[in-house]
Amino acid sequence: MIPVRGLEGRDVAVLGLGRSGLSAARALLAGGAAPLCWDESAEGRERAAAEGFPLHDLTRDDAFRGVAALIVSPGIPHLYPAPHPVIDAALRAGVPVDNDIGLFFRSLATPGWHGFDTAPRVVAITGSNGKSTTSALLHHILTDAGYRAQLAGNIGRGVLDIDPPGDAGIVVLELSSYQTDLARALTPDIAVFTNLSPDHLDRHGGMGGYFAAKRRLFAEGGPDRAVIGVDEVEGRFLANQLSEAAGDDRVIGVSVARKLTGPGWSVTARRGHLSESRKGRQVAAIDLRDIAGLPGRHNHQNACCAYAAARALGLAPRVIEAGLRSYPGLPHRSQVIAERGGVRFVNDSKATNADAAAQALQAFSRIRWIAGGLGKEGGIAALTPYLGSVAKAYLIGHSARDFALQLGGTPVEICETMERAVASAAAEARPGDTVLLAPAAASFDQYRDFEARGDDFARQVNALP
């Protein structure tokens, strides 16, 4: 646990008692603060009471009298589309609003660090797509190389639940826009921006607000090094703002769309080959094409980002390559479930929007595509350029019929359920085909989350005769 520093002896309100909220309450208590807990749900309040935390109704008119700060869980809106009433009351009362990420960065460094030979370092990774894989991949590379590394944030453990890092310890954080938008302290040693595509726009008041939330990771604390995906204009703008000159090697540019030239530091992947260049010269290269855990262009971008961050931490290219090759992949992200009769079954349930599904459709050929669920704004019309590899679509969930109307001449079967979709796709697949779950939709019409949807796909595949 990371005890919270700087709030000793103060009353601190905690709103939202899920994983991050309860973790924050424990860390506040460990640091000498007095957490006052509240959740709109009786279940959340019961969890806090079971751990002995005092409940404090934050909806009362005088709820913030004597309160030093309000700590908010990431799912609770603080600005757009409208502030939660409790947060609005805190803003009106002048009570600072923060989250567990802000508490983590203000509390991580301790006087004991002066006795370390090498101070601990934090790598924070954000972006629209690929940040989970990039984070897990970097953590794997580090641990495979013998480093003491911990994985936390939006993946793995809550940030305040990790062990205090020791001498030369490394913390790898995956951070969503919900987390970076509100944190009052953001001071990673290395910050990574994978890419940007429209997502969570209602929560951030549009694309500009969404990018601004991501940008805070780089602007608030000023990382020593920044790894920036520059295939979108926002990434190019961010890299430009952080660089003092074209050869400024504090910024490492990443691209899978073009070969980056010039005197700076870059990592690119073209046609499955990763290339690192510095001062206009290639210094290392890795063939990614036969790495089973990283199929497709989108995973090659993840590999480039993880490689660049590992290089910034001082790892040698061949050490990083060994970690790339032994990476097993993340559940629900291009995860190979089985191979039967020459047919591969791949679970990419995390592809919850059209952009993520487009990446999956480009990673394989001869696809039997299982898609559908609770469709998002725009549906799947943007996927038209990527349907050439789709032999047939098997559509499930609430948006199945809407999706069918957007698929043009692609053969379609309305299956509605995962069981029917897997059975039909498996029966029609031929050797060399890939049965791919890449829903391009949210899961909440049939499942509690994308993990449950992916687990159901795996169950149906494993139950095939």
Side-chain angles (χ1 to χ4, degrees), residues 255-341:
S255 176
V256 292
R258 60 193 174 95
K259 184 172 179 59
L260 302 178
T261 59
W265 192 354
S266 65
V267 180
T268 59
R270 301 295 308 281
R271 299 182 179 88
H273 290 85
L274 181 150
S275 166
E276 178 190 2
S277 296
R278 300 187 74 168
K279 299 180 180 179
R281 297 178 59 249
Q282 180 175 300
V283 297
I286 299 172
D287 188 347
L288 302 173
R289 292 173 298 174
D290 62 343
I291 299 180
L294 296 167
R297 184 173 181 263
H298 61 307
N299 276 312
H300 294 171
Q301 183 183 57
N302 300 333
C304 286
C305 289
Y307 175 97
R311 289 289 282 145
L313 288 166
L315 277 70
R318 292 306 166 205
V319 172
I320 301 171
E321 181 176 0
L324 293 174
R325 293 195 175 280
S326 62
Y327 176 64
L330 272 179
H332 314 296
R333 297 162 177 85
S334 298
Q335 178 190 16
V336 178
I337 297 298
E339 290 196 22
R340 292 169 173 265

Side-chain angles (χ1 to χ4, degrees), residues 186-273:
L186 287 167
T187 54
D189 298 278
I190 298 169
V192 179
F193 177 89
T194 60
N195 52 56
L196 197 77
S197 61
D199 208 359
H200 309 306
L201 300 190
D202 58 337
R203 176 67 181 266
H204 296 293
M207 195 68 176
Y210 179 47
F211 175 54
K214 301 287 190 186
R215 182 180 176 275
R216 290 190 76 244
L217 181 61
F218 303 83
E220 291 297 307
D224 296 333
R225 277 225 162 81
V227 176
I228 309 290
V230 295
D231 287 338
E232 294 85 31
V233 66
E234 292 88 354
R236 294 191 289 275
F237 177 80
L238 181 58
N240 183 274
Q241 285 210 313
L242 295 173
S243 300
E244 293 296 330
D248 189 345
D249 69 0
R250 293 174 302 172
V251 175
I252 307 175
V254 168
S255 176
V256 292
R258 60 193 174 95
K259 184 172 179 59
L260 302 178
T261 59
W265 192 354
S266 65
V267 180
T268 59
R270 301 295 308 281
R271 299 182 179 88
H273 290 85

Side-chain angles (χ1 to χ4, degrees), residues 136-151 170 315:
L137 178 56
L138 177 60
H139 177 257
H140 173 80
I141 291 168
L142 292 169
T143 55
D144 188 63
Y147 286 79
R148 293 188 295 274
Q150 299 182 77
L151 180 65
I170 299 173
L315 277 70

